Amino acid sequence: MDEWVRYVTQVTPWGDMVLAASDKGLVAMRFSDQGIPGHWQPCTGADRPAALVAAVAWLVQFSRHPQGRAGKPPALDESRITPFQRKVWQQMDRIPCGQTQSYADLAQRLGTSPRAVGRAVGSNPWLLLRPCHRVVGASGALTGYAGGLARKKALLAFEAS
């Protein structure tokens, strides 16, 4: 079994989010309707890891000020990611708030295929924090998002405002 993971639920304008952390950092930031793994344990204020405290603070600020004023992001537990995912997510992190880039653009920058980029983007466990909602199809069409296309559209509109 994995090491301990504790989680809290945070209300956002786009739905409740589950923030989960290990002793190494934030493990996930996802919408509650994506489910909660059985080995994660809810936590109270007394046993909240520092990464959860920082993640809640970041999320609250992002919900108010998405244009890069959300503050310092929490430490991430990146122990389960591949070097390729890291490269894709670093490129994804560079997409400015309120803007989008296509899978093909990211793939060209990385010298790989859009399909490979799509798999890496789709495996992002830190929704909002790592802005996978800013990645779109080649024509600019909204494509897959773990939180659902309606949320993706709402997030992009929120960031653009």
Side-chain angles (χ1 to χ4, degrees):
M1 183 193 281
D2 290 327
E3 63 187 283
W4 63 265
V5 174
R6 293 203 173 95
Y7 74 91
V8 296
T9 303
Q10 178 67 36
V11 175
T12 76
W14 312 282
D16 292 351
M17 293 201 81
V18 174
L19 312 172
S22 69
D23 61 342
K24 296 175 187 165
L26 194 68
V27 171
M29 178 180 284
R30 62 203 275 169
F31 290 100
S32 61
D33 55 15
Q34 293 177 268
I36 299 171
H39 68 280
W40 290 5
Q41 297 297 312
C43 69
T44 64
D47 67 351
R48 227 175 242 201
L52 279 186
V53 173
V56 168
W58 184 92
L59 186 55
V60 167
Q61 286 303 309
F62 175 84
S63 297
R64 295 179 185 150
H65 308 287
Q67 294 288 338
R69 298 185 306 255
K72 183 179 180 194
L76 302 179
D77 179 349
E78 295 184 326
S79 62
R80 294 172 187 86
I81 69 172
T82 68
F84 181 73
Q85 288 171 324
R86 179 175 281 113
K87 286 179 187 177
V88 172
W89 296 344
Q90 285 170 342
Q91 288 298 315
M92 191 171 63
D93 289 346
R94 293 184 177 115
I95 303 170
C97 186
Q99 296 181 26
T100 60
Q101 284 188 352
S102 72
Y103 295 95
D105 289 339
L106 292 176
Q108 184 176 25
R109 229 178 282 128
L110 292 165
T112 191
S113 74
R115 185 171 295 230
V117 168
R119 281 192 301 273
V121 170
S123 64
N124 170 28
W126 301 288
L127 302 185
L128 305 185
L129 189 61
R130 285 244 150 102
C132 55
H133 60 280
R134 296 178 191 156
V135 184
V136 297
S139 68
L142 299 186
T143 56
Y145 181 61
L149 290 182
R151 281 191 182 123
K152 184 172 187 164
K153 183 177 181 179
L155 283 164
L156 291 171
F158 172 70
E159 289 184 344
S161 65

